[in-house]
Amino acid sequence: MTVDRILPTDEARDLIDLATEIADRELAPRAADYEARGEFPREVLRTLGRAGFLGLPYPEEYGGGGQPYEVYLQVLEILASRWLTVAEAVSVHTLACYPVATYGSGELRKLLPDMLGGELLGAYCLSEPQGGSDAAALTTRAVRDGDEYVVNGTKAWITHAHSADFYNIFCRTGGPGAKGISCLLADANTPGIMPQTPERTMALRASPVAQIVFDNVRVPADRLVGAEGEGFRIAMSALDNGRLGIAACAVGLAQAALDYAVAYARDREQFGRRIIDFQGLGFLLADMATQVSAARALTLEAARLRDAGRPFSVEAAKAKLFATDVAMRVTTDAVQVLGGYGYVADHPVERYMREAKVLQIVEGTNQIQRLVISRSLARP
């Protein structure tokens, strides 16, 4: 189903067309096989990087695309509609580039061309085994030793744990609470960084996540991103952007499920009629289509606020909450449209349904999004 998009420039239209072409050629044919084998598509990400899709929202002076977030998110949506693992990887990598691009020193920013070009893949190390939502309580510690920090601790649920070239490590350099947290940038080959066995996940099996143990890891002091004690602010600011990325991924996944269900319902006949012509099923599809459009509109509205330099944290939380709930609902309904065929791996909707679940959890659970929104309503 073709999505009628309003785009700000002709260049943006060209980017959407290119993203669609690459997604159809490089992503869609590989998705089922790679997911079944649990193989991370690193070369696909290099291809996207060389096409300019891993740095779209960052300034051109750093090697980025200089595109507004509303354009970047629509590219991400297209990628997700063909293969969620790749779209999520792009979103995570974009998140991992944010600390250096926004808070990094001039020296650190010299790394950005390779980061944004996809030659260096990033990971974002915030969550820990004992807590993810309460990020201010993290326990990974970095102690200054001359011109280095020595890092010890364990991070959990790290996307790209076995594939990343660099890690943003959020660690405690001071006292308890948010003010004691800093951000360090470490090369993945630094001695003492030890990715653990990948988790056995419900979906996104081509994008393994794992714990990472930091055992006396020595990070040069000039790899401190921002100032000491500024890490929590960096992390939360990055997550506002990351939530928009996940919302866009959810829209793309839901659109894919809707498109597949509609095509099936047009072709499938029962009692001498196409099943889409039965009101009970036709109305179900109508509700699915309406929800996808609403999720897209909410996500792009939050992006346009960001592009205008206005506060968007609460709107990002709303977009992430609504779009991921929609993805879960629409993918579940797509399985129902296909009936028994929706429950088997011969059709992709069963994978879409499994994939949708994780989007309600990553970048802050949807319960956390409700907390963010409700707290904003409580303020005078």
Side-chain angles (χ1 to χ4, degrees), residues 12-53:
R13 174 68 60 188
D14 291 341
L15 278 170
I16 292 295
D17 290 344
L18 179 60
T20 302
E21 177 189 336
I22 292 176
D24 286 341
R25 186 181 70 240
E26 303 289 344
L27 274 60
R30 290 180 166 91
D33 180 51
Y34 273 63
E35 291 297 331
R37 290 187 286 111
E39 180 180 346
F40 183 68
R42 183 67 180 92
E43 285 307 312
V44 173
L45 288 171
R46 285 197 177 92
T47 297
L48 291 175
R50 288 163 187 163
F53 289 119

mmCIF file of all heavy atoms in Angstrom, residues 12-53:
data_model
loop_
_atom_site.group_PDB
_atom_site.id
_atom_site.type_symbol
_atom_site.label_atom_id
_atom_site.label_comp_id
_atom_site.label_asym_id
_atom_site.label_seq_id
_atom_site.Cartn_x
_atom_site.Cartn_y
_atom_site.Cartn_z
ATOM 1 N N ALA A 12 14.355 15.424 -0.008
ATOM 2 C CA ALA A 12 13.740 14.452 0.890
ATOM 3 C C ALA A 12 12.965 13.404 0.102
ATOM 4 O O ALA A 12 13.009 12.210 0.422
ATOM 5 C CB ALA A 12 12.817 15.157 1.879
ATOM 6 N N ARG A 13 12.266 13.829 -0.938
ATOM 7 C CA ARG A 13 11.545 12.879 -1.785
ATOM 8 C C ARG A 13 12.512 11.897 -2.435
ATOM 9 O O ARG A 13 12.253 10.691 -2.509
ATOM 10 C CB ARG A 13 10.763 13.651 -2.855
ATOM 11 C CG ARG A 13 10.068 12.789 -3.893
ATOM 12 C CD ARG A 13 8.933 11.987 -3.320
ATOM 13 N NE ARG A 13 7.904 12.839 -2.724
ATOM 14 C CZ ARG A 13 6.877 12.373 -2.026
ATOM 15 N NH1 ARG A 13 6.768 11.067 -1.825
ATOM 16 N NH2 ARG A 13 5.975 13.192 -1.508
ATOM 17 N N ASP A 14 13.650 12.395 -2.889
ATOM 18 C CA ASP A 14 14.651 11.524 -3.498
ATOM 19 C C ASP A 14 15.197 10.516 -2.480
ATOM 20 O O ASP A 14 15.451 9.344 -2.815
ATOM 21 C CB ASP A 14 15.800 12.350 -4.073
ATOM 22 C CG ASP A 14 15.383 13.161 -5.298
ATOM 23 O OD1 ASP A 14 14.356 12.829 -5.907
ATOM 24 O OD2 ASP A 14 16.090 14.141 -5.619
ATOM 25 N N LEU A 15 15.387 10.969 -1.225
ATOM 26 C CA LEU A 15 15.867 10.072 -0.181
ATOM 27 C C LEU A 15 14.858 8.961 0.095
ATOM 28 O O LEU A 15 15.240 7.793 0.279
ATOM 29 C CB LEU A 15 16.138 10.861 1.108
ATOM 30 C CG LEU A 15 17.468 11.593 1.198
ATOM 31 C CD1 LEU A 15 17.481 12.510 2.405
ATOM 32 C CD2 LEU A 15 18.627 10.601 1.279
ATOM 33 N N ILE A 16 13.588 9.315 0.133
ATOM 34 C CA ILE A 16 12.546 8.320 0.365
ATOM 35 C C ILE A 16 12.538 7.300 -0.770
ATOM 36 O O ILE A 16 12.432 6.085 -0.547
ATOM 37 C CB ILE A 16 11.169 9.006 0.490
ATOM 38 C CG1 ILE A 16 11.097 9.843 1.788
ATOM 39 C CG2 ILE A 16 10.042 7.979 0.456
ATOM 40 C CD1 ILE A 16 11.183 9.045 3.066
ATOM 41 N N ASP A 17 12.664 7.784 -1.988
ATOM 42 C CA ASP A 17 12.691 6.868 -3.138
ATOM 43 C C ASP A 17 13.904 5.945 -3.082
ATOM 44 O O ASP A 17 13.800 4.740 -3.370
ATOM 45 C CB ASP A 17 12.704 7.670 -4.452
ATOM 46 C CG ASP A 17 11.387 8.380 -4.715
ATOM 47 O OD1 ASP A 17 10.373 8.026 -4.080
ATOM 48 O OD2 ASP A 17 11.378 9.312 -5.549
ATOM 49 N N LEU A 18 15.077 6.511 -2.722
ATOM 50 C CA LEU A 18 16.288 5.701 -2.622
ATOM 51 C C LEU A 18 16.172 4.681 -1.494
ATOM 52 O O LEU A 18 16.573 3.516 -1.647
ATOM 53 C CB LEU A 18 17.504 6.601 -2.404
ATOM 54 C CG LEU A 18 18.856 5.885 -2.267
ATOM 55 C CD1 LEU A 18 19.175 5.071 -3.518
ATOM 56 C CD2 LEU A 18 19.968 6.901 -1.984
ATOM 57 N N ALA A 19 15.623 5.104 -0.363
ATOM 58 C CA ALA A 19 15.444 4.187 0.764
ATOM 59 C C ALA A 19 14.526 3.032 0.377
ATOM 60 O O ALA A 19 14.776 1.870 0.732
ATOM 61 C CB ALA A 19 14.875 4.928 1.963
ATOM 62 N N THR A 20 13.476 3.344 -0.358
ATOM 63 C CA THR A 20 12.545 2.309 -0.801
ATOM 64 C C THR A 20 13.234 1.320 -1.746
ATOM 65 O O THR A 20 13.087 0.096 -1.617
ATOM 66 C CB THR A 20 11.339 2.943 -1.505
ATOM 67 O OG1 THR A 20 10.694 3.852 -0.601
ATOM 68 C CG2 THR A 20 10.338 1.885 -1.947
ATOM 69 N N GLU A 21 14.030 1.855 -2.661
ATOM 70 C CA GLU A 21 14.745 1.006 -3.615
ATOM 71 C C GLU A 21 15.722 0.078 -2.902
ATOM 72 O O GLU A 21 15.771 -1.137 -3.166
ATOM 73 C CB GLU A 21 15.492 1.883 -4.621
ATOM 74 C CG GLU A 21 16.332 1.108 -5.615
ATOM 75 C CD GLU A 21 17.219 2.020 -6.452
ATOM 76 O OE1 GLU A 21 16.898 3.210 -6.606
ATOM 77 O OE2 GLU A 21 18.250 1.534 -6.942
ATOM 78 N N ILE A 22 16.518 0.635 -1.978
ATOM 79 C CA ILE A 22 17.500 -0.179 -1.254
ATOM 80 C C ILE A 22 16.807 -1.191 -0.356
ATOM 81 O O ILE A 22 17.228 -2.348 -0.247
ATOM 82 C CB ILE A 22 18.451 0.725 -0.449
ATOM 83 C CG1 ILE A 22 19.348 1.534 -1.402
ATOM 84 C CG2 ILE A 22 19.310 -0.108 0.490
ATOM 85 C CD1 ILE A 22 20.253 2.518 -0.704
ATOM 86 N N ALA A 23 15.734 -0.772 0.309
ATOM 87 C CA ALA A 23 15.014 -1.674 1.213
ATOM 88 C C ALA A 23 14.420 -2.847 0.449
ATOM 89 O O ALA A 23 14.461 -3.999 0.916
ATOM 90 C CB ALA A 23 13.923 -0.911 1.949
ATOM 91 N N ASP A 24 13.879 -2.576 -0.721
ATOM 92 C CA ASP A 24 13.304 -3.658 -1.536
ATOM 93 C C ASP A 24 14.382 -4.600 -2.063
ATOM 94 O O ASP A 24 14.170 -5.814 -2.144
ATOM 95 C CB ASP A 24 12.518 -3.066 -2.711
ATOM 96 C CG ASP A 24 11.191 -2.456 -2.289
ATOM 97 O OD1 ASP A 24 10.704 -2.801 -1.191
ATOM 98 O OD2 ASP A 24 10.648 -1.628 -3.048
ATOM 99 N N ARG A 25 15.543 -4.047 -2.401
ATOM 100 C CA ARG A 25 16.602 -4.845 -3.011
ATOM 101 C C ARG A 25 17.483 -5.564 -1.992
ATOM 102 O O ARG A 25 17.828 -6.743 -2.165
ATOM 103 C CB ARG A 25 17.480 -3.954 -3.897
ATOM 104 C CG ARG A 25 18.536 -4.721 -4.684
ATOM 105 C CD ARG A 25 19.404 -3.791 -5.525
ATOM 106 N NE ARG A 25 20.289 -2.980 -4.703
ATOM 107 C CZ ARG A 25 20.277 -1.650 -4.665
ATOM 108 N NH1 ARG A 25 19.404 -0.971 -5.400
ATOM 109 N NH2 ARG A 25 21.136 -0.982 -3.896
ATOM 110 N N GLU A 26 17.841 -4.867 -0.901
ATOM 111 C CA GLU A 26 18.843 -5.389 0.029
ATOM 112 C C GLU A 26 18.254 -5.960 1.319
ATOM 113 O O GLU A 26 18.872 -6.828 1.942
ATOM 114 C CB GLU A 26 19.839 -4.280 0.393
ATOM 115 C CG GLU A 26 20.560 -3.652 -0.792
ATOM 116 C CD GLU A 26 21.578 -4.588 -1.426
ATOM 117 O OE1 GLU A 26 21.949 -5.587 -0.789
ATOM 118 O OE2 GLU A 26 21.983 -4.328 -2.568
ATOM 119 N N LEU A 27 17.088 -5.475 1.733
ATOM 120 C CA LEU A 27 16.539 -5.881 3.028
ATOM 121 C C LEU A 27 15.490 -6.977 2.904
ATOM 122 O O LEU A 27 15.643 -8.065 3.479
ATOM 123 C CB LEU A 27 15.939 -4.669 3.758
ATOM 124 C CG LEU A 27 16.879 -3.813 4.595
ATOM 125 C CD1 LEU A 27 18.004 -3.216 3.743
ATOM 126 C CD2 LEU A 27 16.105 -2.688 5.285
ATOM 127 N N ALA A 28 14.429 -6.686 2.160
ATOM 128 C CA ALA A 28 13.297 -7.617 2.102
ATOM 129 C C ALA A 28 13.699 -9.039 1.719
ATOM 130 O O ALA A 28 13.232 -10.003 2.349
ATOM 131 C CB ALA A 28 12.231 -7.068 1.158
ATOM 132 N N PRO A 29 14.579 -9.233 0.718
ATOM 133 C CA PRO A 29 14.904 -10.619 0.340
ATOM 134 C C PRO A 29 15.701 -11.385 1.398
ATOM 135 O O PRO A 29 15.734 -12.613 1.374
ATOM 136 C CB PRO A 29 15.754 -10.445 -0.941
ATOM 137 C CG PRO A 29 15.441 -9.078 -1.447
ATOM 138 C CD PRO A 29 15.200 -8.263 -0.213
ATOM 139 N N ARG A 30 16.362 -10.691 2.298
ATOM 140 C CA ARG A 30 17.239 -11.343 3.277
ATOM 141 C C ARG A 30 16.561 -11.600 4.618
ATOM 142 O O ARG A 30 17.021 -12.435 5.401
ATOM 143 C CB ARG A 30 18.474 -10.470 3.531
ATOM 144 C CG ARG A 30 19.466 -10.384 2.389
ATOM 145 C CD ARG A 30 20.636 -9.485 2.792
ATOM 146 N NE ARG A 30 21.778 -9.600 1.899
ATOM 147 C CZ ARG A 30 21.970 -8.851 0.838
ATOM 148 N NH1 ARG A 30 21.077 -7.914 0.537
ATOM 149 N NH2 ARG A 30 23.031 -9.012 0.078
ATOM 150 N N ALA A 31 15.502 -10.873 4.938
ATOM 151 C CA ALA A 31 15.004 -10.811 6.308
ATOM 152 C C ALA A 31 14.698 -12.182 6.901
ATOM 153 O O ALA A 31 15.200 -12.530 7.979
ATOM 154 C CB ALA A 31 13.765 -9.911 6.366
ATOM 155 N N ALA A 32 13.865 -12.965 6.236
ATOM 156 C CA ALA A 32 13.429 -14.235 6.821
ATOM 157 C C ALA A 32 14.608 -15.177 7.050
ATOM 158 O O ALA A 32 14.707 -15.827 8.101
ATOM 159 C CB ALA A 32 12.384 -14.887 5.919
ATOM 160 N N ASP A 33 15.529 -15.249 6.096
ATOM 161 C CA ASP A 33 16.668 -16.166 6.200
ATOM 162 C C ASP A 33 17.608 -15.758 7.329
ATOM 163 O O ASP A 33 18.021 -16.579 8.151
ATOM 164 C CB ASP A 33 17.417 -16.206 4.868
ATOM 165 C CG ASP A 33 18.610 -17.156 4.919
ATOM 166 O OD1 ASP A 33 18.437 -18.310 5.333
ATOM 167 O OD2 ASP A 33 19.722 -16.728 4.543
ATOM 168 N N TYR A 34 17.948 -14.469 7.394
ATOM 169 C CA TYR A 34 18.851 -13.999 8.437
ATOM 170 C C TYR A 34 18.227 -14.162 9.824
ATOM 171 O O TYR A 34 18.920 -14.515 10.791
ATOM 172 C CB TYR A 34 19.222 -12.537 8.208
ATOM 173 C CG TYR A 34 20.408 -12.328 7.289
ATOM 174 C CD1 TYR A 34 20.362 -12.727 5.953
ATOM 175 C CD2 TYR A 34 21.572 -11.724 7.746
ATOM 176 C CE1 TYR A 34 21.438 -12.526 5.093
ATOM 177 C CE2 TYR A 34 22.660 -11.516 6.896
ATOM 178 C CZ TYR A 34 22.579 -11.926 5.574
ATOM 179 O OH TYR A 34 23.640 -11.725 4.739
ATOM 180 N N GLU A 35 16.924 -13.895 9.939
ATOM 181 C CA GLU A 35 16.260 -14.051 11.234
ATOM 182 C C GLU A 35 16.248 -15.516 11.663
ATOM 183 O O GLU A 35 16.457 -15.830 12.836
ATOM 184 C CB GLU A 35 14.831 -13.508 11.170
ATOM 185 C CG GLU A 35 14.726 -11.993 11.026
ATOM 186 C CD GLU A 35 15.299 -11.215 12.200
ATOM 187 O OE1 GLU A 35 15.286 -11.745 13.336
ATOM 188 O OE2 GLU A 35 15.773 -10.080 11.997
ATOM 189 N N ALA A 36 16.017 -16.398 10.711
ATOM 190 C CA ALA A 36 15.997 -17.823 11.041
ATOM 191 C C ALA A 36 17.367 -18.309 11.512
ATOM 192 O O ALA A 36 17.465 -19.161 12.405
ATOM 193 C CB ALA A 36 15.536 -18.632 9.834
ATOM 194 N N ARG A 37 18.426 -17.743 10.914
ATOM 195 C CA ARG A 37 19.790 -18.176 11.263
ATOM 196 C C ARG A 37 20.396 -17.354 12.394
ATOM 197 O O ARG A 37 21.442 -17.707 12.931
ATOM 198 C CB ARG A 37 20.698 -18.082 10.032
ATOM 199 C CG ARG A 37 20.377 -19.101 8.968
ATOM 200 C CD ARG A 37 21.380 -19.111 7.827
ATOM 201 N NE ARG A 37 21.235 -17.983 6.939
ATOM 202 C CZ ARG A 37 22.099 -16.982 6.825
ATOM 203 N NH1 ARG A 37 23.194 -16.962 7.568
ATOM 204 N NH2 ARG A 37 21.895 -16.000 5.979
ATOM 205 N N GLY A 38 19.759 -16.240 12.753
ATOM 206 C CA GLY A 38 20.293 -15.387 13.803
ATOM 207 C C GLY A 38 21.583 -14.703 13.412
ATOM 208 O O GLY A 38 22.476 -14.499 14.246
ATOM 209 N N GLU A 39 21.699 -14.325 12.140
ATOM 210 C CA GLU A 39 22.923 -13.697 11.633
ATOM 211 C C GLU A 39 22.756 -12.188 11.539
ATOM 212 O O GLU A 39 21.821 -11.695 10.902
ATOM 213 C CB GLU A 39 23.284 -14.256 10.261
ATOM 214 C CG GLU A 39 24.557 -13.650 9.675
ATOM 215 C CD GLU A 39 24.907 -14.221 8.318
ATOM 216 O OE1 GLU A 39 24.334 -15.258 7.925
ATOM 217 O OE2 GLU A 39 25.768 -13.633 7.630
ATOM 218 N N PHE A 40 23.677 -11.454 12.152
ATOM 219 C CA PHE A 40 23.606 -9.998 12.136
ATOM 220 C C PHE A 40 24.026 -9.465 10.766
ATOM 221 O O PHE A 40 25.095 -9.829 10.255
ATOM 222 C CB PHE A 40 24.504 -9.410 13.219
ATOM 223 C CG PHE A 40 24.438 -7.908 13.308
ATOM 224 C CD1 PHE A 40 23.289 -7.281 13.733
ATOM 225 C CD2 PHE A 40 25.528 -7.122 12.955
ATOM 226 C CE1 PHE A 40 23.217 -5.895 13.815
ATOM 227 C CE2 PHE A 40 25.470 -5.745 13.026
ATOM 228 C CZ PHE A 40 24.311 -5.130 13.460
ATOM 229 N N PRO A 41 23.236 -8.584 10.153
ATOM 230 C CA PRO A 41 23.508 -8.132 8.781
ATOM 231 C C PRO A 41 24.475 -6.949 8.723
ATOM 232 O O PRO A 41 24.136 -5.855 8.262
ATOM 233 C CB PRO A 41 22.116 -7.737 8.276
ATOM 234 C CG PRO A 41 21.412 -7.255 9.499
ATOM 235 C CD PRO A 41 21.926 -8.103 10.634
ATOM 236 N N ARG A 42 25.700 -7.171 9.149
ATOM 237 C CA ARG A 42 26.656 -6.054 9.220
ATOM 238 C C ARG A 42 26.913 -5.429 7.848
ATOM 239 O O ARG A 42 27.026 -4.199 7.730
ATOM 240 C CB ARG A 42 27.982 -6.552 9.829
ATOM 241 C CG ARG A 42 29.030 -5.461 10.010
ATOM 242 C CD ARG A 42 28.592 -4.453 11.059
ATOM 243 N NE ARG A 42 29.562 -3.391 11.275
ATOM 244 C CZ ARG A 42 29.566 -2.218 10.637
ATOM 245 N NH1 ARG A 42 28.643 -1.952 9.710
ATOM 246 N NH2 ARG A 42 30.471 -1.303 10.918
ATOM 247 N N GLU A 43 26.999 -6.236 6.815
ATOM 248 C CA GLU A 43 27.287 -5.684 5.486
ATOM 249 C C GLU A 43 26.130 -4.847 4.968
ATOM 250 O O GLU A 43 26.331 -3.879 4.232
ATOM 251 C CB GLU A 43 27.633 -6.806 4.507
ATOM 252 C CG GLU A 43 29.021 -7.389 4.708
ATOM 253 C CD GLU A 43 30.107 -6.314 4.708
ATOM 254 O OE1 GLU A 43 30.108 -5.460 3.796
ATOM 255 O OE2 GLU A 43 30.941 -6.323 5.623
ATOM 256 N N VAL A 44 24.913 -5.219 5.335
ATOM 257 C CA VAL A 44 23.758 -4.409 4.941
ATOM 258 C C VAL A 44 23.853 -3.024 5.563
ATOM 259 O O VAL A 44 23.561 -2.007 4.918
ATOM 260 C CB VAL A 44 22.441 -5.102 5.356
ATOM 261 C CG1 VAL A 44 21.239 -4.181 5.106
ATOM 262 C CG2 VAL A 44 22.256 -6.407 4.599
ATOM 263 N N LEU A 45 24.301 -2.970 6.797
ATOM 264 C CA LEU A 45 24.452 -1.672 7.460
ATOM 265 C C LEU A 45 25.568 -0.850 6.818
ATOM 266 O O LEU A 45 25.466 0.373 6.719
ATOM 267 C CB LEU A 45 24.713 -1.867 8.954
ATOM 268 C CG LEU A 45 23.497 -2.350 9.747
ATOM 269 C CD1 LEU A 45 23.890 -2.718 11.159
ATOM 270 C CD2 LEU A 45 22.403 -1.305 9.760
ATOM 271 N N ARG A 46 26.624 -1.505 6.382
ATOM 272 C CA ARG A 46 27.668 -0.779 5.653
ATOM 273 C C ARG A 46 27.107 -0.196 4.356
ATOM 274 O O ARG A 46 27.421 0.931 3.979
ATOM 275 C CB ARG A 46 28.851 -1.690 5.358
ATOM 276 C CG ARG A 46 29.733 -1.968 6.567
ATOM 277 C CD ARG A 46 31.093 -2.522 6.154
ATOM 278 N NE ARG A 46 31.928 -2.714 7.340
ATOM 279 C CZ ARG A 46 31.999 -3.850 8.024
ATOM 280 N NH1 ARG A 46 31.280 -4.892 7.643
ATOM 281 N NH2 ARG A 46 32.774 -3.956 9.096
ATOM 282 N N THR A 47 26.285 -0.971 3.686
ATOM 283 C CA THR A 47 25.653 -0.483 2.462
ATOM 284 C C THR A 47 24.800 0.744 2.747
ATOM 285 O O THR A 47 24.860 1.751 2.013
ATOM 286 C CB THR A 47 24.784 -1.596 1.831
ATOM 287 O OG1 THR A 47 25.617 -2.692 1.459
ATOM 288 C CG2 THR A 47 24.047 -1.080 0.599
ATOM 289 N N LEU A 48 24.029 0.695 3.811
ATOM 290 C CA LEU A 48 23.199 1.839 4.190
ATOM 291 C C LEU A 48 24.063 3.032 4.582
ATOM 292 O O LEU A 48 23.728 4.182 4.257
ATOM 293 C CB LEU A 48 22.272 1.462 5.352
ATOM 294 C CG LEU A 48 21.151 0.474 5.031
ATOM 295 C CD1 LEU A 48 20.396 0.104 6.299
ATOM 296 C CD2 LEU A 48 20.184 1.065 4.007
ATOM 297 N N GLY A 49 25.176 2.756 5.260
ATOM 298 C CA GLY A 49 26.077 3.835 5.645
ATOM 299 C C GLY A 49 26.678 4.525 4.438
ATOM 300 O O GLY A 49 26.735 5.764 4.371
ATOM 301 N N ARG A 50 27.091 3.745 3.467
ATOM 302 C CA ARG A 50 27.698 4.326 2.265
ATOM 303 C C ARG A 50 26.669 5.074 1.425
ATOM 304 O O ARG A 50 27.030 5.975 0.655
ATOM 305 C CB ARG A 50 28.373 3.216 1.458
ATOM 306 C CG ARG A 50 29.639 2.710 2.139
ATOM 307 C CD ARG A 50 30.103 1.368 1.623
ATOM 308 N NE ARG A 50 31.230 0.869 2.426
ATOM 309 C CZ ARG A 50 31.635 -0.392 2.429
ATOM 310 N NH1 ARG A 50 31.020 -1.287 1.670
ATOM 311 N NH2 ARG A 50 32.657 -0.759 3.186
ATOM 312 N N ALA A 51 25.391 4.714 1.595
ATOM 313 C CA ALA A 51 24.323 5.438 0.901
ATOM 314 C C ALA A 51 23.887 6.684 1.669
ATOM 315 O O ALA A 51 23.035 7.432 1.188
ATOM 316 C CB ALA A 51 23.128 4.514 0.683
ATOM 317 N N GLY A 52 24.476 6.874 2.865
ATOM 318 C CA GLY A 52 24.185 8.076 3.642
ATOM 319 C C GLY A 52 23.062 7.950 4.634
ATOM 320 O O GLY A 52 22.629 8.952 5.226
ATOM 321 N N PHE A 53 22.582 6.729 4.915
ATOM 322 C CA PHE A 53 21.403 6.576 5.756
ATOM 323 C C PHE A 53 21.707 6.399 7.245
ATOM 324 O O PHE A 53 20.785 6.326 8.047
ATOM 325 C CB PHE A 53 20.554 5.405 5.260
ATOM 326 C CG PHE A 53 19.860 5.684 3.966
ATOM 327 C CD1 PHE A 53 20.124 4.917 2.839
ATOM 328 C CD2 PHE A 53 18.965 6.731 3.852
ATOM 329 C CE1 PHE A 53 19.495 5.188 1.638
ATOM 330 C CE2 PHE A 53 18.325 6.999 2.656
ATOM 331 C CZ PHE A 53 18.592 6.233 1.545
#
